[in-house]
Amino acid sequence: MNPRNPKKRSVPPKERDNSRRPTIYDVSRCSGFSTATVSRVFANYPGVSRSTRDRVLEVSRDLGFSPSHIGRCLAHGSTGNVAVMFPDMASGFYAEVLAGIDEVLAEHGFNTLTAFYGRGRDAKSVFTRLNSGFLADALIIASSYDIGDVSQWSGSCDTPMVLLDRPLAKAGISTVCIDNASGVAAMVRHLHTNGHRRIAVISGPEGTWDAEQRMASYRVAMQEIKLEVNPLLIWAGNFTFESGRHAMRTALAGRLPVDAVFCFNDEMALGAIAAINEAGLKVPDDIAVAGFDGISAAEGVQLTTVACPMRTVGRSAGTMAVSLIKGTERPRDQVIPVRLVIRSSSGKRAAHWTKAM
Amino acid sequence: MNPRNPKKRSVPPKERDNSRRPTIYDVSRCSGFSTATVSRVFANYPGVSRSTRDRVLEVSRDLGFSPSHIGRCLAHGSTGNVAVMFPDMASGFYAEVLAGIDEVLAEHGFNTLTAFYGRGRDAKSVFTRLNSGFLADALIIASSYDIGDVSQWSGSCDTPMVLLDRPLAKAGISTVCIDNASGVAAMVRHLHTNGHRRIAVISGPEGTWDAEQRMASYRVAMQEIKLEVNPLLIWAGNFTFESGRHAMRTALAGRLPVDAVFCFNDEMALGAIAAINEAGLKVPDDIAVAGFDGISAAEGVQLTTVACPMRTVGRSAGTMAVSLIKGTERPRDQVIPVRLVIRSSSGKRAAHWTKAM
DNA sequence: CTGAAAGCGCTAACAT
DNA sequence: ATGTTAGCGCTTTCAG
């Protein structure tokens, strides 16, 4: 016999071997129907007789057969999964976004491929890996870190992309972002309403979209209520607890009079509160504090904050990815609304103080 | 010409079409080498001459070719990815584990497929989807929720599995868990050393491994230091902030004398602290509080806790999955050590009190 | 309603 | 060192 078997296979290539995953050929042989029919059954095609369908399913069950995703993909020319790129930071924040994405993708029959960048893993190479190997039908990128101009990375054979947190106009790239401007404006107005005038800021890291947008919005909002922005009351942070504590300590040491501190995320606000307590001062009596994000720990310390519905963000991104894949039309960029959550940390200035203004 | 083209293809089946991803055939044709050679180049096989390799890479670059993951998988008979199942809860906790897993998997060239269960998505069906479609070469399951007996789910054609948080002896299933017993023992001893005697507990939800193990360890630890376990001082929680607050409020209303409250996770501890503060009492002067997990917010309120290195847990699980796939030997179950982190929330009893004992 | 067989992109024997 | 070609498991015309 010729070592290379010239026989075309309409029959299974090998006999059924229990260690192997059963294939559509096994089902074909055991049921007596062709592989085409078996395929039709599992693809839920209409034109299969009831009895045939039942028989095929029965045999499949006995054999333990279920169609191979890989085989299907190859035949279809699509992968059936969507890749998601996140910065490697352990915030429940991103976990929630991811869950939202996965929720939608699962509803549409897609799998979620997750990859982290940062911590020594270069965003661009992660992107390249995900984008070039035909690994996914679409790519969702959380880019709140500054990872450079994503639109420059894409090569010729591009996967549709959804960007989180950063708008970017380019064909095939859709974006979903948080409504930073409204959130900041609402918070500044709230602090003002509560009698605070000297509203300091602990900002986020330079180069990150959210931080920069929040800062810009802060300036606008302050101007709108005719408050002056004092550059001495803008302290640098990097979105970590420690940076918030550090900034607040330094600020307190400087002894500049401050009514309220608006931290550009909750983690830093927690840090700021810690520093204030350590200094023997009280929130909100001595200094009011506000945050941004709405993480669960914020509730614990009664932190006034801007709640971002991260699950909604995730769902929105997932939905976009799906419609980008289905390709009916380019989905419109989305801006997810946020909500001001007022708790005691932003408490009113003492009445006499307010009146004195 | 016959509608079905009978020609075998050693040449590309279609001519190069710019809208298509370039395939190995395109590279073959344009470079003049066979697909086998191109394949060898990309698989980094030794037996390819320098000049050939360079030419192939050059052409590939020009064409924008990179090997299709799907094609490779089908030929190899493996998927190149590992699936991870998590409960759908937005804790930074699991995000950290996931990042650790992905870190290791990426190092070994695997992709991470993520899927959540809970919130209306049944754990078993998620499992079935992941396990039956030949989607992944291994499966990592975080099972801290009670999701039933995983070992019963597996069918005949099983993917190797790694279980997080729950030991389970079965061939092909490895586990990695937190050292709950040591953590709880260390904490109880610490509280005892600090002069606390009436050590209450806010427990986790029944049916979850961690909660039950911590409870059992608590009893053992109390016995070892000759303290009696008072059933009236064991309050039910479910690992959420709110449940911690609620339990603590109820407890305070009951006016039973308590020195310290050991909450079985940090979220509940934060809730308990909130309740204590609301009642006008002070931590640790009136009641000491301790937690478990080591989430970042714990630092903010100076919470004494048991730090679980979630990244290590993730890395360990990833490593296990890889060795299960490589199949050299069944990796040994791992118990990840934890560390007692002492902060001010567990502060010493006032001196006179201690002496009075 | 069902069957035959040609791919999908790549790998790995086997050949030279 | 390089080429040839039979699969990997499934889908999908095209024929009947």
Side-chain angles (χ1 to χ4, degrees):
Chain A
M1 183 175 168
N2 190 318
R4 286 185 236 129
N5 182 351
K7 181 176 36 153
K8 289 274 158 284
R9 33 157 228 201
S10 324
V11 293
K14 307 165 191 156
E15 21 200 293
R16 172 108 184 91
D17 159 2
N18 275 318
S19 74
R20 233 180 66 238
R21 278 180 61 88
T23 77
I24 203 171
Y25 286 97
D26 298 316
V27 178
S28 166
R29 181 162 42 76
C30 296
S31 67
F33 292 101
S34 71
T35 63
T37 298
V38 177
S39 174
R40 286 182 190 112
V41 168
F42 280 93
N44 263 317
Y45 268 50
V48 182
S49 78
R50 181 62 199 243
S51 64
T52 304
R53 150 173 260 97
D54 288 347
R55 176 70 188 137
V56 165
L57 289 175
E58 184 188 346
V59 171
S60 300
R61 193 163 25 74
D62 293 349
L63 257 37
F65 168 82
S66 63
S68 151
H69 184 244
I70 300 272
R72 284 191 144 161
C73 288
L74 192 52
H76 267 133
S78 67
T79 67
N81 42 47
V82 171
V84 185
M85 260 179 79
F86 277 110
D88 186 343
M89 42 193 288
S91 74
F93 205 80
Y94 281 118
E96 186 79 6
V97 177
L98 182 58
I101 291 174
D102 182 60
E103 206 172 275
V104 174
L105 293 183
E107 284 165 15
H108 290 268
F110 286 94
N111 298 116
T112 309
L113 216 54
T114 315
F116 293 87
Y117 63 86
R119 292 231 187 187
R121 283 178 292 172
D122 175 45
K124 180 163 180 182
S125 30
V126 172
F127 172 85
T128 305
R129 181 166 64 85
L130 259 25
N131 188 48
S132 63
F134 191 38
L135 272 171
D137 299 337
L139 187 48
I140 298 176
I141 305 182
S143 55
S144 84
Y145 273 154
D146 182 27
I147 55 174
D149 187 349
V150 176
S151 67
Q152 294 301 306
W153 295 348
S154 6
S156 53
C157 52
D158 281 353
T159 312
M161 286 173 25
V162 177
L163 250 48
L164 293 186
D165 304 343
R166 176 182 309 239
L168 176 64
K170 201 200 168 190
I173 305 192
S174 295
T175 63
V176 22
C177 11
I178 284 292
D179 192 349
N180 283 311
S182 302
V184 168
M187 181 62 83
V188 170
R189 279 196 302 267
H190 163 69
L191 293 172
H192 181 255
T193 303
N194 265 14
H196 306 296
R197 293 298 174 266
R198 291 166 303 197
I199 302 174
V201 158
I202 299 184
S203 69
E206 267 188 63
T208 71
W209 174 257
D210 283 330
E212 291 180 354
Q213 236 203 343
R214 286 170 200 176
M215 182 56 80
S217 306
Y218 162 77
R219 293 180 191 285
V220 172
M222 289 290 277
Q223 189 170 7
E224 277 177 1
I225 54 175
K226 315 270 190 257
L227 285 186
E228 204 178 328
V229 173
N230 181 349
L232 294 177
L233 296 187
I234 295 178
W235 308 314
N238 68 0
F239 283 165
T240 62
F241 175 88
E242 207 44 64
S243 77
R245 174 150 69 176
H246 180 76
M248 196 68 231
R249 277 180 184 155
T250 312
L252 290 172
R255 305 198 153 278
L256 286 171
V258 168
D259 301 333
V261 180
F262 182 10
C263 305
F264 282 176
N265 81 346
D266 287 345
E267 289 272 351
M268 295 194 300
L270 297 179
I273 291 175
I276 292 171
N277 289 335
E278 286 162 13
L281 299 174
K282 288 289 265 182
V283 174
D285 303 332
D286 297 306
I287 299 182
V289 176
F292 204 109
D293 279 356
I295 66 177
S296 72
E299 191 183 349
V301 297
Q302 283 295 309
L303 177 67
T304 291
T305 188
V306 177
C308 304
M310 299 321 291
R311 196 161 207 103
T312 306
V313 170
R315 289 198 58 100
S316 183
T319 307
M320 274 192 179
V322 171
S323 55
L324 238 23
I325 292 170
K326 301 268 166 85
T328 49
E329 54 184 307
R330 179 178 189 276
R332 300 186 39 163
D333 288 352
Q334 299 236 346
V335 177
I336 307 294
V338 296
R339 193 171 44 87
L340 184 64
V341 176
I342 300 174
R343 302 205 184 91
S344 64
S345 77
S346 58
K348 290 197 193 303
R349 295 295 304 170
H352 63 92
W353 212 100
T354 307
K355 281 177 193 149
M357 298 236 11
Chain B
M1 184 177 166
N2 188 316
R4 288 186 235 129
N5 182 350
K7 182 174 41 152
K8 288 276 159 282
R9 33 155 228 200
S10 325
V11 292
K14 306 166 191 155
E15 21 200 294
R16 172 108 184 88
D17 160 2
N18 274 318
S19 74
R20 233 179 67 240
R21 277 180 62 87
T23 76
I24 204 171
Y25 287 96
D26 298 315
V27 178
S28 165
R29 182 162 41 76
C30 296
S31 67
F33 293 101
S34 72
T35 62
T37 298
V38 176
S39 175
R40 285 180 190 116
V41 168
F42 281 93
N44 264 317
Y45 267 50
V48 182
S49 80
R50 181 61 198 245
S51 63
T52 303
R53 152 174 259 97
D54 289 347
R55 177 68 189 138
V56 165
L57 289 176
E58 185 188 344
V59 170
S60 300
R61 192 164 25 76
D62 293 349
L63 257 37
F65 167 82
S66 62
S68 151
H69 185 244
I70 300 270
R72 285 190 144 163
C73 288
L74 192 51
H76 267 134
S78 67
T79 67
N81 42 49
V82 171
V84 185
M85 261 180 79
F86 277 109
D88 188 344
M89 42 193 286
S91 75
F93 206 81
Y94 281 118
E96 186 80 6
V97 176
L98 182 59
I101 291 174
D102 182 60
E103 206 171 275
V104 173
L105 293 183
E107 283 166 14
H108 289 269
F110 287 95
N111 298 118
T112 310
L113 218 53
T114 316
F116 293 87
Y117 63 85
R119 291 228 186 190
R121 284 179 291 171
D122 174 45
K124 179 164 181 181
S125 31
V126 172
F127 172 85
T128 305
R129 182 165 63 85
L130 259 25
N131 188 48
S132 63
F134 190 38
L135 272 172
D137 299 338
L139 188 48
I140 298 176
I141 305 182
S143 54
S144 84
Y145 272 153
D146 182 26
I147 56 176
D149 188 350
V150 175
S151 66
Q152 295 301 308
W153 295 348
S154 5
S156 52
C157 53
D158 280 354
T159 311
M161 286 173 26
V162 176
L163 249 49
L164 293 186
D165 306 342
R166 178 182 308 240
L168 177 64
K170 200 198 169 193
I173 304 190
S174 296
T175 64
V176 21
C177 11
I178 285 293
D179 192 349
N180 282 311
S182 303
V184 168
M187 181 63 83
V188 169
R189 280 196 302 266
H190 163 70
L191 293 172
H192 181 255
T193 302
N194 266 12
H196 305 297
R197 294 296 175 268
R198 291 165 302 198
I199 302 174
V201 159
I202 300 184
S203 69
E206 267 188 64
T208 72
W209 174 258
D210 283 330
E212 289 179 355
Q213 235 203 343
R214 286 170 199 175
M215 183 56 80
S217 307
Y218 163 77
R219 294 182 191 283
V220 171
M222 289 291 277
Q223 188 170 6
E224 276 175 2
I225 54 176
K226 316 270 190 259
L227 285 186
E228 203 178 327
V229 173
N230 181 348
L232 293 177
L233 296 187
I234 295 178
W235 307 314
N238 68 1
F239 282 164
T240 63
F241 175 89
E242 208 44 64
S243 76
R245 174 151 70 178
H246 179 77
M248 195 69 230
R249 277 182 184 151
T250 312
L252 290 172
R255 306 198 154 278
L256 286 171
V258 168
D259 301 333
V261 179
F262 182 10
C263 305
F264 282 176
N265 81 346
D266 287 346
E267 290 273 350
M268 295 193 301
L270 296 179
I273 291 175
I276 292 170
N277 289 335
E278 286 162 13
L281 300 174
K282 290 287 266 180
V283 174
D285 303 332
D286 297 305
I287 298 183
V289 175
F292 204 110
D293 278 356
I295 66 177
S296 72
E299 192 184 347
V301 296
Q302 283 295 311
L303 177 67
T304 290
T305 187
V306 177
C308 304
M310 299 321 290
R311 194 159 207 106
T312 306
V313 170
R315 289 197 57 101
S316 183
T319 307
M320 274 191 180
V322 171
S323 55
L324 237 24
I325 292 170
K326 302 265 165 90
T328 49
E329 54 185 306
R330 179 176 188 277
R332 299 186 38 164
D333 287 353
Q334 298 236 344
V335 177
I336 307 294
V338 296
R339 193 171 46 87
L340 183 64
V341 175
I342 299 174
R343 302 205 184 91
S344 63
S345 76
S346 57
K348 290 196 191 305
R349 294 298 302 168
H352 65 90
W353 213 100
T354 307
K355 280 178 193 146
M357 298 239 7

